[in-house]
Amino acid sequence: MIQLQKLVKTFDGHPVLNGIDMDITEGEIIVIIGPSGTGKSTLLRCLNFLEQPDSGQISIDGDTVDAARASKKAVLKLRRNTSFVFQNYALFANKTAVQNIAEGLMTVWGKPKAEALAEAQQILADIGLADKADSYPAALSGGQQQRVGIGRAMASHSKVMLFDEPTSALDPEWVEEVLQLMKKLAQRKQTMLVVTHEMSFAREVADRVVFMEGGRIVEQGPPEQLFSNPADPRTREFLRKVIRD
Amino acid sequence: MNFDVTYFLEMIPLLLGYLGLTMKMASLGLVFALILAVNMAVVRVLKVPLLDWLVQLFISFFRGTPLLVQLFLLYYGLPQMFPIMVGIDAFTAAVIGLSLHFSAYMAESIRAAILGIDKSQMEAALSIGQSSLMAMRRIILPQAARIALPSLMNQFVDMIKSTSLAFTLGVAELMARAQMEASSSFRFFESFLAVALIYWAVVVIFTQLQNRLEKHLNRAYQR
């Protein structure tokens, strides 16, 4: 369903992505792991053009965007086909929880206000925050904010949800509720691309785990295989460091 | 010291009759200045080619020259070059001059406020599929308004006071009337003290309004 071909991104001449190829099938849950600064987040951000890749191609359902010369229209379409969950939640600070979720429905998908708010309210119920509809982000806990962030991403019914370290900024007490919500989405076969350091989540939920280092995909495979029998010494080294038990 | 209390007390209601024109100038000036300023700030933040350069030139000129000079240039100077502008009356010229002058300052305040918004707000708006202009309008500007409010209010206060310069173009506003009364009665101190107190009172009232507005805009940010 989604293909990345030879995706390259450099920052000030310093290569961050060295030609990434990836095929994602519908309903697949992919978890990307690897040391920090290896381009995991950049890969996600290139997928919806929050960063413009230098070269390469992104295809979603046959719509191919050539990174080097992407038109505004193509970028907009790409963004409608994807949704993004930010590490720092990035909820719209001037809008309540329900407005955060309804915003895209109204302004991007053209739904009438009442309909958008009703749909947003349903999503809030789905993520267990129906009673927080009229709270502004500043009045929500980190975990609640991130769940609203996921709710906002759910609203666009996008083909793929991109999660950029969704639990890294959370106090430990809130991590579990966010992971639970992500598991719920995984059970519904929502296609997901998740950058995370939560190895137990990767082990339990991922269909495929991708290990990245130095802007390249070093190794990938089903979690059982990658975690218990990694082929590449770099993968082994990384897993030894992050999994202590 | 001979302070004519009766004359002074009579001056206040007489001058208040002209406050309306002063406030009309200031409020029209505020509306036009804000519209211009918001657009210029967005052009600068989004670095729109060519327009960005024009806006920088505009801001540099209107911040770099005295308001009085700008008013004279506009009212006495330009009609000589462009006969079509001869028909512009002094009031309109004053409103245009005040709008242009203060829009330059306000644009910079708004731009600074926009730059003070965390960039993830824009990214989040783009990620749900909004265009950068729509994101500006729906997400960034409402938040920037709250940050910019104190300095915008300062500039509005400055604008209210600067309407007094319109008397040099012959607009019969508050200051012009005080000047007229003073020179016919020779009671300069009483006249100008009365006009000063009126400006002061107006500014104090607007400062109170500002406090309320700030509270209103802050409601989303309370825990």
Side-chain angles (χ1 to χ4, degrees), chain B residues 132-151:
Chain B
S132 48
L133 264 184
M134 181 179 278
M136 273 289 166
R137 200 162 54 76
R138 307 251 336 153
I139 308 298
I140 307 297
L141 286 175
Q143 295 182 52
R146 168 174 161 266
I147 299 177
L149 185 70
S151 73

Side-chain angles (χ1 to χ4, degrees), chain B residues 187-201:
Chain B
R187 291 266 162 214
F188 291 102
F189 185 75
E190 289 85 344
S191 304
F192 292 135
L193 182 65
V195 85
L197 289 181
I198 290 173
Y199 280 117
W200 190 14

Side-chain angles (χ1 to χ4, degrees), chain A residues 35-131:
Chain A
S36 48
T38 49
K40 305 181 305 282
S41 290
T42 306
L43 175 60
L44 286 197
R45 292 166 60 83
C46 280
L47 254 169
N48 73 346
F49 269 68
L50 285 183
E51 305 286 354
Q52 182 171 4
D54 298 344
S55 62
Q57 288 184 341
I58 302 169
S59 317
I60 297 184
D61 271 351
D63 274 322
T64 302
V65 182
D66 192 326
R69 43 189 151 77
S71 68
K72 263 190 183 167
K73 212 175 134 194
V75 170
L76 219 57
K77 188 156 188 199
L78 199 59
R79 288 187 179 144
R80 287 178 189 208
N81 279 330
T82 58
S83 56
F84 205 94
V85 176
F86 293 81
Q87 183 175 355
N88 70 348
Y89 338 127
L91 294 185
F92 304 131
N94 59 324
K95 299 197 176 288
T96 61
V98 71
Q99 289 169 342
N100 260 277
I101 297 172
E103 177 69 13
L105 294 171
M106 280 191 291
T107 62
V108 178
W109 300 97
K111 301 203 170 162
K113 190 173 177 185
E115 196 182 311
L117 286 172
E119 201 174 323
Q121 193 64 51
Q122 268 178 4
I123 292 174
L124 275 176
D126 194 12
I127 62 178
L129 289 173
D131 57 329

Side-chain angles (χ1 to χ4, degrees), chain B residues 66-80:
Chain B
L67 175 56
L68 190 60
V69 175
Q70 291 162 17
L71 290 175
F72 276 31
L73 200 55
L74 194 76
Y75 187 59
Y76 299 114
L78 281 181
Q80 280 193 334

Side-chain angles (χ1 to χ4, degrees), chain B residues 107-118 140 143-149 151:
Chain B
E108 288 297 271
S109 299
I110 296 169
R111 184 174 77 102
I114 293 173
L115 295 178
I117 308 285
D118 194 293
I140 307 297
Q143 295 182 52
R146 168 174 161 266
I147 299 177
L149 185 70
S151 73

